[in-house]
Amino acid sequence: MVMTIASDETTSICDHCDRAIPSSNIDLHYAHCSRNLQKCKVCGDMVPKKHAEEHFLNTHAPVTCSLCSETMEREILAIHKGENCPQRIVTCEFCEFPMPAIDLAEHQEVCGNRTELCHLCNRYIRLRERYNHERRCNGIPEDNVGSSRNVRPAEREQGAQRRQPPPEYSWRRLVFAIAIAGIAVLLGSLFFQKTMETGLVI
């Protein structure tokens, strides 16, 4: 195949490597190219025949991931280990603890539900909600919307207040007790007086 370039020098396409070669050198090039070079069947690169096997082993031969034992082409091994391997080590975004990627989702589901005290508003915030909370927190304490550990003592205090008798009820009991005591004293006094009179008569 013959073609013309800008300098008016004609070129030909090598049937072996598909490169454009000056027509005056095409025969010499083809003899050298076909004798020394070989096209890789995987990537199409022209490699020296004596290094063809080495090229295949180093670039395309299946390799095993040392982390998960999955087999793949060597050229994607680095990407696999860095982004896709389920056994690659990643860090929890909440506690920064390193672990295999395959365990991350389950761990963060639990870890993200842990709470920490916001020192601005005095509320306990889930770690998974901490970022959004910090953006909108106005720093005003909200004692009535605190965590369960703040609410329960308040509920117990309210319950104790409900169990206390009203002041009016206590006052009535006091008056009743005083009346009973007065009657008892009066009866005792009358009984004692009658006993004394009986003794004088005798």
Side-chain angles (χ1 to χ4, degrees), residues 28-49:
L28 182 62
H29 166 83
Y30 181 80
H32 177 271
C33 182
S34 59
R35 183 171 63 251
N36 297 297
L37 300 179
Q38 176 179 326
K39 180 179 289 188
C40 175
K41 295 180 180 179
V42 179
C43 65
D45 290 347
M46 298 300 297
V47 296
K49 286 185 177 181

Side-chain angles (χ1 to χ4, degrees), residues 8-111:
D8 294 332
E9 181 182 5
T10 59
T11 60
S12 301
I13 300 299
C14 175
D15 294 333
H16 187 66
C17 66
D18 295 328
R19 291 174 56 193
I21 306 298
S23 298
S24 57
N25 297 330
I26 188 62
D27 294 333
L28 182 62
H29 166 83
Y30 181 80
H32 177 271
C33 182
S34 59
R35 183 171 63 251
N36 297 297
L37 300 179
Q38 176 179 326
K39 180 179 289 188
C40 175
K41 295 180 180 179
V42 179
C43 65
D45 290 347
M46 298 300 297
V47 296
K49 286 185 177 181
K50 61 181 180 180
H51 299 314
E53 184 176 358
E54 180 182 354
H55 166 79
F56 177 79
L57 293 176
N58 291 339
T59 309
H60 308 299
V63 293
T64 301
C65 174
S66 60
L67 300 176
C68 67
S69 301
E70 182 179 347
T71 301
M72 67 202 68
E73 293 184 359
R74 183 183 298 272
E75 60 185 1
I76 66 173
L77 179 62
I79 297 177
H80 167 79
K81 282 188 172 182
E83 301 178 6
N84 303 321
C85 180
Q87 294 298 332
R88 72 189 188 279
I89 300 301
V90 295
T91 302
C92 172
E93 64 176 293
F94 305 118
C95 67
E96 299 184 354
F97 186 80
M99 69 193 70
I102 194 172
D103 299 327
L104 182 64
E106 182 178 356
H107 169 83
Q108 290 191 156
E109 180 65 27
V110 176
C111 191

Side-chain angles (χ1 to χ4, degrees), residues 90-181:
V90 295
T91 302
C92 172
E93 64 176 293
F94 305 118
C95 67
E96 299 184 354
F97 186 80
M99 69 193 70
I102 194 172
D103 299 327
L104 182 64
E106 182 178 356
H107 169 83
Q108 290 191 156
E109 180 65 27
V110 176
C111 191
N113 283 324
R114 294 188 299 114
T115 60
E116 285 187 355
L117 179 65
C118 174
H119 296 288
L120 296 177
C121 66
N122 202 34
R123 293 179 58 191
Y124 281 88
I125 307 300
R126 289 182 179 180
L127 295 184
R128 67 173 66 257
E129 300 169 355
R130 181 173 55 189
Y131 176 74
N132 290 332
H133 173 77
E134 290 176 350
R135 293 177 58 190
R136 65 174 185 268
C137 180
N138 53 20
I140 300 176
E142 298 182 20
D143 296 333
N144 295 331
V145 198
S147 66
S148 59
R149 68 185 73 180
N150 291 332
V151 173
R152 288 172 184 169
E155 291 178 348
R156 288 196 294 268
E157 183 177 351
Q158 292 176 1
Q161 293 176 355
R162 286 196 296 268
R163 288 192 295 270
Q164 293 178 357
E168 182 180 356
Y169 178 71
S170 300
W171 174 252
R172 288 178 181 177
R173 289 189 61 183
L174 180 61
V175 171
F176 180 74
I178 293 175
I180 293 296

